[in-house]
Amino acid sequence: MNALEAGGGLALVRDAGGRFRIAWRESDWLGPIALRFEPHGDGAPAPGATGFDGADDLGAFRGVALASAGLALPVEASVRAYAGSPLLVFRLEAKAALSELATGEFARVSVAWPAFDPEARAAGGVPEGTRTYGHQFTEFALPVSGDDRCRGYTFAPHRPAVVEPLLFIAPDLRTLLLSPLDGFHEQVIAVPRDGDEAARGVRCGWHGDLDDVPAGFATELAVLAAPGPRAALETFGALLLRRHATRRPSRYADPGVGRLSYWTDNGSVYYYRTEPGEDYTTTLERTVATLRAERVPIGSVQIDSWFYPHETLRPVSEEGAPVVPPTGMLRWEPRDDLFPEGFSRLRERLGGLPLTFHARHFSSKSPYFEAHAAWCDEAFAHPAGAETEPNSPPGSGAEASNLLDLLLEQAAGWGAITYEQDWMVESFLGVRGLRAAPGRARAWQEDLDRAAAERGLTLQWCMSTPADFLQSVTLARVTSIRTSGDYRYLFDNGLNWVWFLHGNALARALGLHPYKDVFLSHAETGLGPGERYAEAESLLAALSAGPVGIGDRRGYTNRDLVMRTCREDGVLIKPDLPLAAIDRCFRANAFFEPEPLVGETLSRHPAGCWVYVAAFDACRAKQPLRASLPLADLGAPAPATPVVAYDWRARTFSRMEPGGALTLDLGWQDFSYTVLCPVLRGGLVLFGDVSKYATAGDRRLARITETDDGVRFDVLGAAGEEVAIDGCAPALPSVRAATAGGPLAATLTAGQSGSFRVRLRLGSAGHARVWISR
């Protein structure tokens, strides 16, 4: 076998020395590829290989299996190439039960296939100037960038040098993506942490904390070629979703994700803090009452980790908690000092609003583990499933009941709609037993998913690793996932914005709904600092397509700003998909380099696509940025026909051709926001409801459809809500509106430069159909 060819020119080739390499136009994208073992020695440098062919859920393939005779361990390594797509799949299978695999370090791979060495590439093997990009195995999947040799990453130093997916991105944006297809918590892509580790190369395979695997245990890793990084992520995500028959909840699955919400987590005013002279319940009760009196239509309340006892109990005070308490949870029950009567009347006192409850990793001192099986690892512990032998001493009373079922039953009784599983990275990396054998992390998450479904609850993932993002394809109850660091904690806003838009690209590819985290809507609070960049924070939240949560002090909510995200009834007005970084951002991290951070999302209608483009100066240099953004750089949503660019902040508009470009002129941590609106027949253009960020979001404007003489659409909102829809046309059009009960009054007024505005008041049904005619 000299070449194993996939679609699109991607191929596994064998050089004159018998070493495998990956070619895609250029001859050697990764460097020499080998099967490697640690600490059991390496495989043969040029093993024999046997060809095979077949078909599976990914399509028809040709493959090769490496000869296993003489290997240090009884494993089979193979590669499949798919003729119908630019895809190679590396498979690693244990042919017998294996034990004592652990290397003593999570990132030191025990069995690596493929292991490759970018330092040993053939000359010209990859386009000059190629960069690498990926998500480190950290909380919130930190985006990191490096050079073509997988060096130079700015890692979170307390987490392993593991990056997945790993993308090689050429100057022309062609992208080669590597990522696990399964075994998401068992296989890793380990890269050099620094120059001293460069000689180890990159090793994809079974992580170093995996002790034992049964015969037949197998993992697969995809190598996929695409015209750009976003296309690579989207193609890979679609492959996973199809392979696992994933069914995602909608953007409006429950009030926590579909309506404006109030949060008490880190970054909010009432995180470990109450109003002076008030207890927690009274503080929240009066805050909810004030929000309602001020017509801020929150639809749920989140109760964070301050409500239950940790191993180290942090007091609640007027100063709050400047440092997030890191110790594990003892009991998932209301603290006696804060809720002496428990939660018996909590929901009632909060006006009957549904609740989201936070949960974190367990302390090994938790009394739960006197009665329930657990893996214990120094300060932390994790429930062991009923099918698993616990790490409990004989006679401890450990029983095979499911602790997670009991906790979620409890949550349902408290009036919960959502169980927020936080500190997921600490649960996994903090408890060795969860990593020691295959399938344990998957079983934990699928058990939570099942328990939530049985009680009508949904889940939010928080502090998730890339493995948790990927594993979610087997889950059905995850309505949202945090995709950036904690709000106003440790970093400038700009770093979190970069993190958020890149994390969103991964979440979007997997069909997940990101949560930006809480934000404050006011520059002042009178109790700690306010938010200078509230407008940018609210824009990011609104365009996430996930939850929007405010955490203001009582009486300090900026209603005008908050209402840009939702209707009068609190229903969020969202784009169809999360705002995500465009291709060019993947080659230059906008926090470290003076490049604009640009994100795009959209609202699709029968009449066309409304594209939302947000650009930020997030660079740590804290200097103004000026740049040109060709519309073609937007990728898949780039317009193919003329559009009208509506500058949301300046309230101006201009016609643009597909070959045009936006001019970005940004101050530090400032932003621009443009809506690209399709030009309909006769030059008619709808900007939408420009009082909202997602001006053509489908919970405000539904089914915008061209007619013979204009356009038709449905307007949705609260009963009695006043709605204005803006647009422009060569000549002033006419308007009529109706409900199911008959005609509805609507007015159309002329503005400047050919603009117009339609005004109407919705009836009791909260719906009207509108026709605008030329």
Side-chain angles (χ1 to χ4, degrees), residues 181-206:
L181 277 172
D182 54 20
F184 303 116
H185 288 90
E186 286 73 51
Q187 58 174 324
V188 297
I189 302 175
V191 300
R193 182 174 288 277
D194 52 37
D196 293 339
E197 295 186 359
R200 292 184 54 81
V202 178
R203 301 201 175 193
C204 311
W206 300 344

Side-chain angles (χ1 to χ4, degrees), residues 5 45 313 398 420 440 467 471 583-584 655 659:
E5 297 182 356
L313 195 66
E420 178 194 357
R440 290 180 177 178
Q471 188 62 63
D583 280 341
R584 65 191 255 178
R655 183 182 173 99

Side-chain angles (χ1 to χ4, degrees), residues 321-389:
V323 177
V324 177
T327 57
M329 176 173 66
L330 290 176
R331 292 177 291 112
W332 201 59
E333 302 166 12
R335 285 170 53 169
D336 295 336
D337 60 328
L338 301 183
F339 301 96
E341 299 178 357
F343 280 163
S344 59
R345 295 189 59 233
L346 178 65
R347 186 169 180 180
E348 176 188 345
R349 291 184 64 180
L350 298 185
L353 290 172
L355 304 173
T356 292
F357 288 96
H358 176 283
R360 63 166 55 200
H361 57 301
F362 290 90
S363 166
S364 57
K365 296 180 180 179
S366 169
Y368 290 144
F369 303 130
E370 297 172 8
H372 298 277
W375 297 292
C376 295
D377 188 353
E378 297 184 354
F380 300 149
H382 192 84
E387 75 289 347
T388 309
E389 287 297 322

Side-chain angles (χ1 to χ4, degrees), residues 559-589:
R559 183 182 188 275
D560 289 343
L561 185 141
V562 170
M563 293 307 295
R564 299 175 187 179
T565 71
C566 67
R567 307 183 327 199
E568 291 291 333
D569 55 6
V571 172
L572 298 173
I573 301 177
K574 306 184 181 194
D576 293 355
L577 298 166
L579 184 74
I582 65 172
D583 280 341
R584 65 191 255 178
C585 296
F586 287 77
R587 282 188 44 85
N589 186 296

